[in-house]
Amino acid sequence: GLGDITLLGNYKLFQKTKMNTAKRTSTSQELWIGGGVKMPTGKYHLDLNDPEGNLGDVNSQMGTGSVDFLLNTTYDLRLNKFGINTSLNYKINTTNSDHYDFGNRFTANSFGYYNISVHSVSIVPNAGVLYEHADANHLNNSKVDLTGGYVALAVTGAELSYNKINVGANVQLPF
């Protein structure tokens, strides 16, 4: 089914590009900031009075039942065809009508990439690291056991672009 809908907006704070024709090099930098809101459009129902119910089921819902807020920033530095892209994201979760509050989440990642162009196709292999920290969930202002935590992942993947179509995939391995 349809999950929660997220609306995001980003603003490019700056973009600088330097060309050195003598050395045939180019350097570019971009910095983006943004934010958004996640609306509770996905189905969410958890009967806390059901003896068969389980708080673990809260993670299998199509939605969260809450309005949440997102903040993000992305910095990209590129020298010729090699680049490094770093992103920071923070999600502020609010309490839903069942008094359940998913913990806030912080995510940071940094990837190195290399752009290979063949005719009108662009292949961009990448590798990097991703870190995520989730605060504990709360029900009626009491911490829910076995929620929250952190993970660090090594990530590798590739993106394929043709005209205005871009497809990517990656593999993540915790370390």
Side-chain angles (χ1 to χ4, degrees):
L2 180 65
D4 289 346
I5 292 176
T6 301
L7 303 171
L8 287 172
N10 289 294
Y11 178 76
K12 190 186 310 182
L13 277 180
F14 74 82
Q15 178 178 8
K16 294 181 181 178
T17 302
K18 290 184 180 179
M19 302 289 290
N20 185 331
T21 53
K23 293 183 180 181
R24 294 185 181 188
T25 62
S26 69
T27 304
S28 102
Q29 299 180 70
E30 289 184 9
L31 178 63
W32 293 78
I33 61 167
V37 63
K38 184 197 66 65
M39 304 303 295
T41 55
K43 183 179 176 184
Y44 173 87
H45 177 72
L46 188 63
D47 186 356
L48 299 174
N49 297 316
D50 181 0
E52 299 291 317
N54 180 347
L55 278 181
D57 292 342
V58 76
N59 291 319
S60 62
Q61 302 286 318
M62 293 303 298
T64 63
S66 63
V67 175
D68 304 323
F69 303 95
L70 299 100
L71 303 169
N72 65 291
T73 185
T74 300
Y75 176 72
D76 191 75
L77 173 63
R78 193 170 59 244
L79 174 61
N80 296 328
K81 295 183 176 193
F82 176 76
I84 297 174
N85 184 286
T86 301
S87 294
L88 303 173
N89 303 288
Y90 192 72
K91 184 175 177 214
I92 303 162
N93 294 309
T94 65
T95 305
N96 65 24
S97 61
D98 288 334
H99 307 285
Y100 196 90
D101 182 8
F102 290 89
N104 294 342
R105 289 184 181 266
F106 170 75
T107 307
N109 62 60
S110 189
F111 293 91
Y113 62 89
Y114 188 79
N115 189 343
I116 303 165
S117 296
V118 181
H119 302 291
S120 59
V121 175
S122 178
I123 302 166
V124 184
N126 59 68
V129 294
L130 182 145
Y131 173 82
E132 182 171 274
H133 178 271
D135 292 338
N137 299 349
H138 289 82
L139 175 61
N140 294 319
N141 292 320
S142 295
K143 182 180 172 185
V144 177
D145 290 337
L146 305 175
T147 62
Y150 60 91
V151 65
L153 303 161
V155 183
T156 187
E159 292 186 15
L160 176 69
S161 299
Y162 176 74
N163 290 331
K164 295 182 179 184
I165 298 173
N166 187 339
V167 177
N170 67 43
V171 176
Q172 303 175 358
L173 181 66
F175 66 90

